[in-house]
Amino acid sequence: MHDTILNQLDRDGFAVVEGFLRDAECEELVAAGLELTRRLPDTPPTVFSTTQPEHEHLKGKYFMESNDKISYFYEKDALDADGKLQVDPSISLNKVGHALHLLHPIFRCYTYSDRVKALCRALHLAEPAVVQSMYIYKNPGVGGEVVPHQDISYLHTEPISPIGFWIALEDATIQNGCLWMARGSHKSGVHRRMLRSPGDRNKCIYDKPAPVYPESSFTPVPVSKGTCILIHGNVVHRSAANRSAASRPAYTFHVVEKKDNNYSEDNWLQEGENAPFLNIYTTSQML
Ligand code: FE2
């Protein structure tokens, strides 16, 4: 089975691992994701207001400082121009990140599980480390699209590319915004990068404009609840907005090879005292 996973990843740039989590396990993660929305402040932080130009800078700072925190990122349509919440808090978030795997007991438990360790072994990773994690809501009606991108644009490693673990916590369908993959595009290099600005290391810039990918490059990859999709760092992928009545939550985290592999100093995400890149094989599931 594991050879097949590696073959799929090499050939297509992604691999589909069905039945990675049981239904009850998905439900535990969805409950944990919903619980996070109950901790939201009544008034979102002013950083999310779009009326004042200096808030763009604060928004960037909030993002850059989320590497060692459980930080909240709202849907664009959930807030008005003054940053006031327009929808129920339970459906207001786009995602939470980027240190759930370190700080949250339930997400940590699944991230450093024996099943994840076994998949890393199947991928022949010698010293795999989780560098970031996100709970993605993709709520019905408000869940926004994710434009085509390569994950390596944000997390550059070489010569071995990062691998995304993307776990569907409900059935992911064409209607509710499943992943779409440009099969084989992982063999086309790194198309652009988001880098820490040489002038201000607390800001990020892109080295090139976003490439335009023909619509015909993408194939939908609908999967059932509990499926894990392994995503090669160089494969181009996207997901559509969720205009259906069904939510499409996912838990996702990124794994990098630490042995004989360079992690770029220009990546926005850097290892820190409170955000260590822990070896999956030797890290406990317990906080
Ligand atoms: Fe991605």
Side-chain angles (χ1 to χ4, degrees):
M1 181 183 91
H2 288 153
D3 271 351
T4 309
I5 289 168
L6 201 50
N7 288 345
Q8 276 185 59
L9 198 61
D10 285 345
R11 186 188 62 221
D12 297 332
F14 64 97
V16 176
V17 184
E18 289 177 342
F20 185 69
L21 292 187
R22 291 186 275 274
D23 282 3
E25 293 173 325
C26 293
E27 283 145 25
E28 184 179 20
L29 287 169
V30 168
L34 188 60
E35 177 60 29
L36 290 170
T37 68
R38 299 203 181 101
R39 299 187 201 171
L40 293 175
D42 289 342
T43 309
T46 50
V47 32
F48 295 106
S49 159
T50 55
T51 49
Q52 298 179 46
E54 71 266 26
H55 286 170
E56 275 309 308
H57 166 70
L58 291 175
K59 220 187 273 183
K61 189 168 181 296
Y62 184 84
F63 173 79
M64 295 288 279
E65 292 177 354
S66 67
N67 64 316
D68 59 1
K69 296 180 184 63
I70 295 176
S71 299
Y72 303 98
F73 298 90
Y74 289 86
E75 283 295 351
K76 193 159 50 70
D77 297 342
L79 304 176
D80 68 12
D82 296 324
K84 295 214 175 58
L85 208 51
Q86 297 299 292
V87 297
D88 190 85
S90 65
I91 58 160
S92 65
L93 293 181
N94 172 286
K95 67 178 182 182
V96 175
H98 289 92
L100 288 164
H101 62 292
L102 294 171
L103 301 174
H104 192 292
I106 294 173
F107 291 102
R108 180 174 177 125
C109 187
Y110 284 98
T111 310
Y112 295 103
S113 68
D114 287 347
R115 272 172 270 175
V116 171
K117 290 177 165 82
L119 266 188
C120 288
R121 288 203 177 87
L123 296 171
H124 299 166
L125 295 170
E127 207 180 307
V130 179
V131 296
Q132 68 166 13
S133 51
M134 293 181 269
Y135 184 91
I136 315 265
Y137 288 86
K138 203 77 149 180
N139 281 306
V142 291
E145 72 168 329
V146 176
V147 297
H149 66 280
Q150 300 171 301
D151 291 345
I152 200 163
S153 295
Y154 304 92
L155 293 174
H156 191 275
T157 60
E158 63 183 346
I160 302 164
S161 295
I163 303 283
F165 283 58
W166 187 96
I167 306 168
L169 301 176
E170 295 280 1
D171 292 347
T173 65
I174 290 174
Q175 291 72 30
N176 71 7
C178 69
L179 294 180
W180 290 63
M181 296 291 189
R183 195 184 295 275
S185 57
H186 62 302
K187 294 179 178 163
S188 58
V190 178
H191 301 175
R192 79 161 171 166
R193 288 187 60 188
M194 187 177 86
L195 307 162
R196 283 185 182 243
S197 163
D200 177 355
R201 299 281 295 166
N202 294 316
K203 264 176 66 179
C204 281
I205 49 165
Y206 283 103
D207 65 346
K208 292 185 193 111
V212 177
Y213 301 103
E215 191 50 39
S216 58
S217 332
F218 295 96
T219 311
V221 186
V223 293
S224 56
K225 178 175 173 176
T227 298
C228 177
I229 302 182
L230 298 171
I231 304 172
H232 188 288
N234 295 58
V235 79
V236 180
H237 56 287
R238 65 172 184 83
S239 70
N242 181 2
R243 299 292 175 224
S244 80
S247 59
R248 199 237 59 192
Y251 177 52
T252 182
F253 54 89
H254 284 84
V255 171
V256 302
E257 172 65 274
K258 283 179 91 176
K259 189 172 162 44
D260 301 329
N261 203 27
N262 180 61
Y263 184 92
S264 172
E265 285 178 6
D266 294 326
N267 289 337
W268 80 270
L269 182 78
Q270 294 297 320
E271 186 163 24
E273 195 184 334
N274 298 318
F277 294 172
L278 302 176
N279 183 334
I280 292 173
Y281 296 144
T282 54
T283 300
S284 159
Q285 287 174 276
M286 310 307 284
L287 270 175

